[in-house]
């Protein structure tokens, strides 16, 4: 799909990957870009910087009603949604079994159900038109895992699985689906450090946005801004136990660093 002339919605658009993709969509000639974020002031700042038909909308993707309102607002103003970039995410506290249920639930909502709710809102009309693009921002953690945070790794796996399911169910009915799985990117999440995700370098949002639009043009599934991820994913599939052993070593290093701190 070409971006030119399309109406695009970007959640988590006030910063990081979302802001980078929103700007890139506008540069590539999108007729409208809706910058959606729970932080309306920052979303408005991004929209002003883009200019043209860009506008901001407050949306908390952990609430289905907010997503429905976002989609309805876009329909009312621009007639349709051609591209839905389901990008918003959180990191939360680091840890595993000891983390509170409230954090797990919030991540399930934002990294899992937000994609489901968005798809409910836009996919039927895309299927009816025979055209539409739904992009899920997951993470390399969704293909591999991450040692610092159990709920992050688990819920990002869910994001990948849902994107796969959408492609399986609707890929022959006009819906295009891609899944973005980067390692570390310059975002609010990495301001205080990149952890294990930064082993292969930290990319700018603009670099990630370039990869997103290229994959969308080719209508491929995986967006892998860090090419090393494909190698790790292949190694995981070829020898799961060896891969788990390597991740155990990485986890031990992480815990040792934490103890030393």
């Amino acid at each position: 799909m070409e971006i030119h002339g399309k109406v695009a919605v970007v959640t988590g658009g006030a910063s990081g990957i979302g802001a980078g993709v929103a700007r890139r969509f506008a540069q590539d000639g999108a007729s409208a870009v809706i910058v959606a974020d729970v932080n309306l002031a920052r979303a408005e700042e991004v929209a002003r910087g883009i200019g043209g038909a860009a506008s901001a909308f407050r949306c908390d993707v952990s609430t289905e009603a907010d997503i429905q309102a976002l989609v309805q607002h876009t329909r009312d103003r621009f007639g349709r949604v051609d591209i839905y970039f389901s990008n918003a995410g959180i990191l939360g506290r680091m840890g595993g079994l000891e983390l509170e249920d409230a954090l797990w639930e919030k991540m399930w909502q934002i990294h899992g159900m937000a994609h489901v709710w968005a798809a409910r809102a836009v996919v039927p009309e895309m299927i009816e038109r025979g055209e539409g693009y739904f992009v899920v921002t997951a993470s390399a953690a969704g293909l591999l895992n991450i040692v610092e945070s159990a709920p992050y790794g688990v819920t990002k796996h869910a994001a990948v699985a849902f994107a796969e399911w959408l492609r399986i169910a609707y890929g022959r009915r006009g819906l295009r689906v891609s899944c973005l799985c980067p390692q570390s990117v310059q975002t609010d999440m990495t301001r205080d450090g990149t952890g294990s995700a930064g082993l292969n370098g930290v990319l700018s949002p603009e670099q990630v946005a370039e990869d997103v639009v290229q994959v969308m043009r080719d209508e491929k599934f995986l967006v892998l801004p860090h090419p090393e991820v494909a190698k790790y994913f292949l190694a995981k599939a070829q020898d799961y136990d060896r891969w788990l052993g390597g991740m155990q070593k990485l986890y031990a290093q992480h815990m040792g660093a934490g103890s030393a701190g």
Side-chain angles (χ1 to χ4, degrees):
M1 175 183 281
E2 292 295 332
I3 309 300
H4 184 80
K6 299 299 190 295
V7 176
V9 173
V10 180
T11 66
S15 62
I17 293 172
V21 168
R23 295 185 186 105
R24 181 56 189 265
F25 283 170
Q27 290 169 10
D28 281 18
S31 61
V33 179
I34 310 303
V35 182
D37 202 281
V38 69
N39 188 326
L40 180 58
R42 291 182 69 181
E44 289 174 334
E45 183 178 350
V46 172
R48 283 194 300 270
I50 292 173
S55 63
F57 191 88
R58 187 192 181 281
C59 180
D60 178 353
V61 301
S62 69
T63 303
E64 184 174 13
D66 272 27
I67 293 175
Q68 290 283 351
L70 167 63
V71 171
Q72 190 58 53
H73 164 80
T74 307
R75 285 199 201 103
D76 290 344
R77 185 167 177 184
F78 301 105
R80 67 191 188 280
V81 176
D82 295 309
I83 300 167
Y84 192 99
F85 191 79
S86 192
N87 169 74
I90 61 172
L91 190 57
R93 293 197 302 116
M94 300 295 99
L97 301 178
E98 76 284 0
L99 293 175
E100 64 275 16
D101 288 355
L103 177 58
W104 280 88
E105 184 61 29
K106 196 70 171 178
M107 287 206 180
W108 279 120
Q109 292 168 344
I110 293 174
H111 299 158
M113 290 308 299
H115 306 308
V116 177
W117 293 328
R120 283 179 185 166
V122 301
V123 167
E125 67 182 40
M126 291 177 175
I127 296 303
E128 185 176 351
R129 291 196 309 269
E131 183 184 46
Y133 219 120
F134 197 96
V135 184
V136 171
T137 295
S139 166
L143 295 173
L144 302 170
N145 218 308
I146 189 168
V147 298
E148 288 90 349
S149 171
Y152 188 84
V154 170
T155 57
K156 288 297 187 177
H157 271 66
V160 172
F162 183 66
E164 291 172 345
W165 187 89
L166 280 180
R167 179 82 171 233
I168 291 166
Y170 300 112
R172 294 184 177 180
R173 299 177 62 186
L175 182 69
R176 304 293 178 257
V177 182
S178 294
C179 186
L180 171 60
C181 296
Q183 290 181 297
S184 189
V185 182
Q186 294 168 4
T187 69
D188 289 348
M189 289 185 184
T190 60
R191 183 182 297 124
D192 297 325
T194 61
S196 61
L199 292 177
N200 296 120
V202 183
L203 300 182
S204 70
E206 291 72 25
Q207 290 173 294
V208 175
E210 170 67 21
D211 285 333
V212 168
V213 297
Q214 290 299 331
V215 168
M216 289 179 68
R217 287 191 182 116
D218 294 336
E219 298 182 352
K220 300 293 187 181
F221 181 70
L222 277 178
V223 188
L224 298 178
H226 293 83
E228 297 87 354
V229 172
K231 299 176 184 177
Y232 301 150
F233 193 41
L234 180 61
K236 177 180 179 179
Q238 289 178 327
D239 193 334
Y240 222 133
D241 291 299
R242 183 177 180 181
W243 176 82
L244 286 169
M247 291 297 286
Q248 286 173 342
K249 291 179 182 178
L250 191 60
Y251 179 77
Q253 293 170 4
H254 163 66
M255 294 301 293
S259 299

